[in-house]
Amino acid sequence: MQYSFLASYLLIIFALWYSRRENFGLEKTILTNSILAMVQLGLLGYALVYLFKIEHPSLLFFVLLGMVTFGAYTARKRTPLGEDSFKIAFFTLGASSGIVFLSMMAFGVIHMVPHEMIPIGGMIIGNALNVYTQSTERFRAEVKNTIEIIEGMVALGAPLKEALRFASKASVKASMIPTLNMLQTVGIIHIPGITTGMLLAGADPLSAISYQLAVMYMMVAVALLSAVFSTMFSYRVIIGSAFSNIKN
């Protein structure tokens, strides 16, 4: 029974076949990432047995720091920004998820126990990673498409940040769409996993819903902060690359 999930890999095989048929060029990425996901989740299952036994709070923060580091490494490969790719991603993920996480701890929503800090920390950092890659790609595209306007504004004396304001706004708004869609459809189309898990564990329905709402609101906050910080930390690299492309 525990290996029946392998039947779902037929969906991956279908995706590989269709990608090859339509020449999308995604076969290697889909195959590699699907296998990597299986290995990572398998290791996670064994690791959580030991991680949930951690008693010293400082060790839990090292676990979260490891998540941020791995997230930054992943973001560096997805959205390369030159030599500063890892640093920009690390600061963005660390700052956005750190602010949300520490705020929720201060309000008493999250407690310093492994079975809360590790899963919720993973959700927060994972959402920050997704928004970071989306906002950075959109920001780079916006700057590339409007580089002449930006260059003209700078030539007329406008500060660089002011000239980039409309591009950064567009990237923040675009990267927030998936999170806002999920917030709008939660409970009707999207059925949250935390609510289901808590109900199956025998928790009071109102407690489960309340906790899920707190997590959803965390996702919105970390998405917004990730989008804002991504443009704030990457604009010099992106604009420098855009100007160099014009010269070449």
Side-chain angles (χ1 to χ4, degrees):
M1 182 66 179
Q2 62 180 345
Y3 297 109
S4 61
F5 75 92
L6 291 174
S8 63
Y9 203 78
L10 291 172
L11 299 174
I12 297 295
I13 294 174
F14 169 76
L16 291 171
W17 169 78
Y18 195 80
S19 176
R20 183 176 180 82
R21 176 189 170 187
E22 300 296 330
N23 295 317
F24 290 154
L26 298 173
E27 298 90 331
K28 182 179 179 181
T29 302
I30 293 173
L31 179 62
T32 302
N33 289 351
S34 65
I35 295 174
L36 185 62
M38 188 185 302
V39 173
Q40 288 179 171
L41 286 174
L43 293 175
L44 175 64
Y46 288 103
L48 286 178
V49 174
Y50 300 98
L51 291 176
F52 281 177
K53 295 180 180 179
I54 295 177
E55 297 182 357
H56 203 287
S58 62
L59 295 179
L60 293 173
F61 284 104
F62 278 111
V63 173
L64 297 177
L65 180 62
M67 292 181 181
V68 171
T69 302
F70 184 75
Y73 174 77
T74 303
R76 186 195 67 174
K77 295 191 296 181
R78 290 186 187 176
T79 54
L81 295 173
E83 297 179 354
D84 294 328
S85 293
F86 178 83
K87 182 171 66 175
I88 293 171
F90 183 84
F91 286 156
T92 299
L93 300 185
S96 58
S97 58
I99 290 173
V100 172
F101 204 87
L102 292 176
S103 298
M104 291 301 97
M105 289 186 66
F107 295 146
V109 177
I110 303 175
H111 303 93
M112 204 171 293
V113 290
H115 66 273
E116 289 189 17
M117 291 185 67
I118 294 175
I120 295 177
M123 286 188 286
I124 291 174
I125 297 167
N127 196 51
L129 170 61
N130 290 334
V131 173
Y132 169 80
T133 55
Q134 292 169 355
S135 61
T136 302
E137 284 299 320
R138 179 61 181 265
F139 187 44
R140 180 156 45 190
E142 289 288 339
V143 170
K144 180 180 178 181
N145 293 334
T146 58
I147 188 62
E148 293 182 357
I149 298 175
I150 296 171
E151 191 174 23
M153 292 179 66
V154 172
L156 292 173
L160 182 56
K161 284 189 176 182
E162 185 64 30
L164 290 170
R165 185 178 296 277
F166 62 92
S168 63
K169 280 185 177 181
S171 65
V172 170
K173 290 174 66 175
S175 61
M176 286 289 292
I177 290 175
T179 303
L180 295 178
N181 285 344
M182 182 173 63
L183 186 67
Q184 183 177 3
T185 59
V186 65
I188 300 176
I189 298 176
H190 172 65
I191 301 175
I194 288 182
T195 301
T196 304
M198 291 182 68
L199 291 175
L200 290 174
D204 176 68
L206 290 179
S207 298
I209 294 300
S210 299
Y211 204 81
Q212 181 66 64
L213 281 172
V215 172
M216 293 296 299
Y217 296 157
M218 287 184 224
M219 296 299 104
V220 174
V222 78
L224 179 61
L225 290 173
S226 297
V228 172
F229 287 150
S230 66
T231 59
M232 185 185 302
F233 296 147
S234 67
Y235 79 94
R236 292 188 182 277
V237 174
I238 290 176
I239 196 67
S241 176
F243 280 144
S244 64
N245 289 336
I246 290 180
K247 293 179 183 179
N248 294 333

